[in-house]
Every structure is written in structure tokens, then in C-alpha cells.
Amino acid sequence: MSEQEKKIIFSGIQPTGTFTLGNYIGAVSRWGELQDQFNCIYSIVDMHAITVRQDPVQLRQKSLEAYALLFACGIDPKKSITFIQSHAGTHAELSWILSCSTQFGELSRMTQFKDKSAKHADDINAGLFTYPVLMAADILAYNADLVPIGEDQRQHLELARNIAQRFNGKYGEFFTVPEAYIPKVGARIKSLQDPEKKMSKSDENPNACVFILDEPDVIIRKFKRAVTDSDSEIRYAEEKPGVSNLMSIYSAVTGKEIPEIEREFEGKGYGDFKLAVGEAVSDRLKPVREEFARLMADKAYLKECYMEGAKSALSISRRTLTKVYRKVGFVDAR
Ligand code: TYM
């Protein structure tokens, strides 16, 4: 398939700390696998990150680490455009235009906005409110066909589709209406301590969330402490959210199907199962940890990559923006 015929993929991740196992299974681990089949564009979305208060020194460090982690998780900068969002000012410019095709009411309905405003009640800033418009700009700037994300981003993607359609309705067909690309298994990895909640880096209980750079003994300890259910059967079922979550994780990191896992652990107890999941996760993440350490020791290489990534991202998104400016009726400055 020629480069032109390949579909376009866009996705992003916030640099607000080491990626969680949820980020990894639901999104990032799959991004590398898509590189040959699609034209992929991936971004560290630092502009989204400042919708909640960040320490500037830490944000800079975390952004660089997150960028290196993408490569450690399998993204190849020669195959995918990999850049830091704030290096492409076009996203913010497009976001403004798109905000004029977004309704106050639809932004008010976003569950992430409601959750985050409850959590940061002293700082419900306008950026937090318009966050999904910037996300739509990220995607639409590249006319992405598919957006690989976890289940929690589905509502934002729906909004991006609505914004694209509304813009096309007003100004004539222009934006590709993107589709969510959500995995069948692992799209919503749950907290290890409360399987009703998603695994999240902001969880107060340190045992609830596994980070992909956790040391093997820490990973295994967190899995040993994971909450299961009252019976002792290793079976995937709605009424067994704890065990089902662990099975999804095991399936995602080993590639084994759920029925195969049920057979593997037939007659065995939760202790054996939890240890096996912890070991499988730790083994899977070993090369990620090693590659991350190697990359962080080579800042010059990382810089070369993100400068190159920014150039490519800007060249595509600038072209889109120029056309958008013309469509909405701005006077041509070129
Ligand atoms: P973020 O940084 O919160 O998460 C990055 C990706 O990880 C997925 N994810 C999960 N998947 C499964 N189980 C979990 N527990 C879990 N937690 C997180 C998320 O669904 C996401 O795919 N708004 C986005 C970033 C963004 C973006 C974009 C994504 C900005 N612009 C454009 C796609 C396209 C976010 O905050 O993701």
C-alpha cells in the first residue's frame, strides 16, 4: 500500500507522570503495532496537561520522559511523526476556530470536565472546560481517520466528530470525521484496589495503580494485594470485576485469549493467579524500563527526534490551518 493510501492515525497522551499500566494496555502499547499499516502521528500533549496546575520544572522533565517512553514502548520515530504538542502552535490556533463551532452545552456535558472540576474545585479554569476542543484540533489538524484511545476518551472523540461535522456543515465538506479505535480487551483497565474505578495515576491509594517503570518487586507486590472476589474461581464475569480485570491485564500482556486463561488456572487459587499476572506484567515491561533508561541518557538524540517531529507536524497542520482560515473568510496574509 502506498503512503498516500494508508489511513491516518492520531493519538496523544498527557505528560503528567509515568504512564500507568492502563495507559500502556489501553493505548500506547498498541501505537507501535499500527506503524506499518497506517500513517501514524503521536503527541505528548503538554498543553492539555496545564489545564490542571503543574510545577513548570517538573512538567518540562515529565514531558521529556513521556516522549522517551513512547519510543521505549515501541514507537519508531522513523516510522511515526512523534512530537510535543506545544511545538506545534497550529493546534491552539485551530482550537480557537473550532471553539466557535462548539456549543457551551455540549462542553458542559463532558464527564471528564465534571470529574476534574469536582477534584480541582479551586481552579475550574476555562482551559479545563475547552480541553476537548483542543483535543479535536489535535485530531482534525491531521485529518486523522482513526484515533486509538481507551474507553474513557470515547466521549471526547464523539465530540470531535460532532465538531468536524458542524464545521463541514457550515463551511462545506473539509474535515475527515474521525473514528475511535478502541481495543476489545483492555480498553478500561480498573484500579487494583477498587475494580469499579478506572486505573488512574491520581489514585490516592499507591497499590491501586501500576506504573510502567515500577520495579519488578513493586509490580508483583501490587498484584499480590489486588482486590479479587469472594469465591475462588478464576472466571471472566461481570459479577467478578476484580478477577475479570486481572484476566484482561493478563490477556493483554501475554496475548492469551480469556478461555485459554480460564483453562490455565482451573483448580488454582487466587494467590497463584495474582502472582502469575504480576510476573507476566513485570516481564513484559522489562524491555520498556531498559530502553527508557538508555534513551534518557541520550538527550541529544531525543532533542533531534522532537525537533524533527515538530517540523513534520507543523508542515501538515499548517497546511490544514491555512485552508481553514480561507474557509472561514480570513484575509489571506501570504
Ligand atoms: P490520557 O493522557 O489520560 O491517557 C492516554 C491514553 O490512555 C488511555 N487510558 C486507559 N486505557 C485503558 N484503561 C485505563 N485505565 C486508562 N487510562 C488511560 C486513554 O484512554 C488514552 O487513550 N485527552 C487525552 C489525550 C489527548 C488525545 C488527543 C488523545 C489529547 N489530544 C487526541 C487522542 C487524540 C488524555 O487525557 O489521555
Side-chain angles (χ1 to χ4, degrees), residues 12-14 22-23 26 48 131 135 138 149-150 152-153 187 189 199:
I13 184 162
Q14 296 199 56
N23 293 140
H48 278 105
Y131 177 115
M135 180 161 158
D138 295 340
I149 42 175
D152 64 327
Q153 294 298 317
I189 299 297
M199 182 181 281

Side-chain angles (χ1 to χ4, degrees), residues 3 19 33 48 69 78 98 101 119 192 195 247 253 256:
E3 289 302 302
F19 303 165
E33 294 159 12
H48 278 105
L69 265 181
K78 289 194 205 70
L98 297 179
S101 287
K119 212 176 212 163
L192 297 188
M247 291 178 84
V253 298
K256 293 178 187 170

Side-chain angles (χ1 to χ4, degrees), residues 10-16 19-28 31 43 45 48 85 91 112 116 131-132 134-139 147-154 156-157 183 186-191 197-201:
F10 183 96
S11 203
I13 184 162
Q14 296 199 56
T16 41
F19 303 165
T20 68
L21 188 61
N23 293 140
Y24 181 74
I25 292 176
V28 183
W31 293 358
S43 184
V45 294
H48 278 105
Q85 187 188 31
H91 291 223
Q112 189 171 297
K116 286 199 178 169
Y131 177 115
L134 179 59
M135 180 161 158
D138 295 340
I139 299 165
V147 183
I149 42 175
E151 191 59 50
D152 64 327
Q153 294 298 317
R154 189 190 284 278
H156 285 163
L157 203 272
R188 190 187 285 277
I189 299 297
K190 308 285 177 45
S191 151
K197 284 197 320 200
K198 85 164 181 179
M199 182 181 281
S200 157
K201 56 189 109 191

Side-chain angles (χ1 to χ4, degrees), residues 42-110:
Y42 298 120
S43 184
I44 297 301
V45 294
D46 50 352
M47 286 158 74
H48 278 105
I50 62 162
T51 55
V52 300
R53 210 166 280 135
Q54 302 289 342
D55 174 79
V57 174
Q58 287 230 350
L59 179 63
R60 194 168 295 118
Q61 176 67 17
K62 297 268 177 227
S63 298
L64 202 59
E65 287 176 7
Y67 188 76
L69 265 181
L70 290 184
F71 298 159
C73 291
I75 290 161
D76 177 350
K78 289 194 205 70
K79 292 183 180 168
S80 301
I81 297 176
T82 317
F83 72 108
I84 297 174
Q85 187 188 31
S86 60
H87 293 171
T90 41
H91 291 223
E93 287 183 68
L94 182 58
S95 179
W96 176 255
I97 307 284
L98 297 179
S99 71
C100 301
S101 287
T102 310
Q103 298 302 303
F104 179 85
E106 49 191 358
L107 288 177
S108 313
R109 285 194 289 277
M110 294 292 115

Side-chain angles (χ1 to χ4, degrees), residues 28 93 175 189 202 243 331:
V28 183
E93 287 183 68
F175 286 123
I189 299 297
S202 55
V243 169
V331 174

